């Protein structure tokens, strides 16, 4: 099955649904989660920590060499960095908040995508001279997993645009987030690169 509904409509339904699960929460708003890294990573609740030790990453992903790992056992997330001189890519895993685990997959993915989207916009608008333009936002089935994707351009005076791509999906009890960026590659190429990285990351988990 292929999902191609527009994200604005999905975000609207997710906002209403997530608001009903929070205690307390402002009506018509997504529940605000605690951040674990730069206001971008939801914090896993301490009574249900994500077992980070079960996740591993290969020395190379989608043709990009590993550039290290960052993790926080306390906050429940792990992130791997990959890159070459022209491209950077990160893979981040973290658990679903307990209040979201009974929601359907569409509400979870579209709702969290809305949070990530707003956080990216805030980082740009809090800078002195950047602007952002989203060129594509989709919710679709990717190899049996509901996935949100976004392509956007970050502009800065006297520099080539920074092209970025976000992939977000949920695998059972955790999110998998792929973020890539380049001033040299087009967003269509970055999207294919990110899909390849996600597939290779999943295959590596299955074999280790």
């Amino acid at each position: 099955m292929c999902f191609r509904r527009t994200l604005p409509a999905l975000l609207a339904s997710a906002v209403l649904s997530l608001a009903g699960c929070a205690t307390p929460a402002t009506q018509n708003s997504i529940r605000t989660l605690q951040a674990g890294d730069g206001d971008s990573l939801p914090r896993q609740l301490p009574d249900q920590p994500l077992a980070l030790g079960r996740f591993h990453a290969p020395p190379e992903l989608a043709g990009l060499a590993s550039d290290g790992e960052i993790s926080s056992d306390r906050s429940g997330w792990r992130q791997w960095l990959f890159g070459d001189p022209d491209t950077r890519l990160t893979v981040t895993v973290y658990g679903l908040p307990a209040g979201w685990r009974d929601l359907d997959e569409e509400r979870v993915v579209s709702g969290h995508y809305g949070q990530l989207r707003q956080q990216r916009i805030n980082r740009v608008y809090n800078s002195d001279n950047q602007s952002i333009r989203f060129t594509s936002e989709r919710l679709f089935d990717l190899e049996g997993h509901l996935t949100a994707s976004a392509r956007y351009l970050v502009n800065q005076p006297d520099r080539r645009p920074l092209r970025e791509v976000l992939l977000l999906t949920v695998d059972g009890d955790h999110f998998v987030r792929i973020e890539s960026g380049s001033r040299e590659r087009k967003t269509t190429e970055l999207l294919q690169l990110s899909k390849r990285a996600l597939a290779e990351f999943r295959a590596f988990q299955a074999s280790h």
Side-chain angles (χ1 to χ4, degrees):
M1 182 180 294
C2 184
F3 295 87
R4 301 184 183 276
R5 296 176 60 184
T6 60
L7 277 171
L10 290 167
L11 291 176
S13 63
V15 163
L16 292 174
S17 300
L18 291 172
C21 294
T23 307
T26 303
Q27 188 175 6
N28 297 335
S29 65
I30 296 175
R31 179 166 60 126
T32 300
L33 303 177
Q34 295 294 321
D37 179 45
D39 292 334
S40 64
L41 297 176
R43 180 172 296 163
Q44 181 69 13
L45 298 185
D47 60 332
Q48 294 180 335
L50 186 65
L52 295 175
R54 76 184 205 244
F55 298 104
H56 308 276
E60 183 179 284
L61 204 62
L64 301 175
S66 174
D67 195 27
E69 174 189 329
I70 306 171
S71 64
S72 172
D73 291 337
R74 180 178 179 182
S75 297
W77 59 266
R78 179 165 290 176
Q79 183 176 84
W80 297 269
L81 296 77
F82 300 86
D84 62 22
D86 298 326
T87 306
R88 61 161 176 76
L89 184 142
T90 63
V91 180
T92 311
V93 296
Y94 47 94
L96 274 69
W100 288 26
R101 293 176 182 175
D102 294 329
L103 299 177
D104 64 67
E105 190 178 37
E106 182 176 295
R107 292 174 180 172
V108 169
V109 174
S110 61
H112 186 38
Y113 169 77
Q115 293 178 319
L116 298 175
R117 185 186 197 277
Q118 188 59 51
Q119 289 165 3
R120 189 67 184 96
I121 291 172
N122 290 346
R123 290 200 301 272
V124 167
Y125 288 164
N126 287 334
S127 67
D128 293 332
N129 57 357
Q130 292 184 350
S131 63
I132 188 170
R133 179 168 65 89
F134 286 80
T135 60
S136 174
E137 298 176 275
R138 297 177 60 221
L139 189 66
F140 62 102
D141 185 284
L142 180 61
E143 299 182 351
H145 297 269
L146 192 63
T147 304
S149 72
R151 291 184 279 167
Y152 43 94
L153 304 177
V154 178
N155 295 297
Q156 191 171 3
D158 303 321
R159 299 197 68 182
R160 297 181 64 183
L162 175 61
R163 299 174 177 91
E164 295 187 348
V165 164
L166 166 69
L167 281 183
L168 175 72
T169 190
V170 63
D171 283 356
D173 62 349
H174 64 279
F175 288 107
V176 180
R177 191 169 87 211
I178 309 287
E179 296 167 284
S180 58
S182 175
R183 297 188 189 276
E184 306 298 327
R185 299 178 189 248
K186 295 182 179 180
T187 56
T188 51
E189 186 179 357
L190 287 174
L191 180 60
Q192 293 305 313
L193 185 80
S194 298
K195 289 180 179 179
R196 176 185 167 187
L198 179 58
E200 291 181 6
F201 180 77
R202 281 189 172 131
F204 195 80
Q205 306 316 302
S207 63
H208 288 75

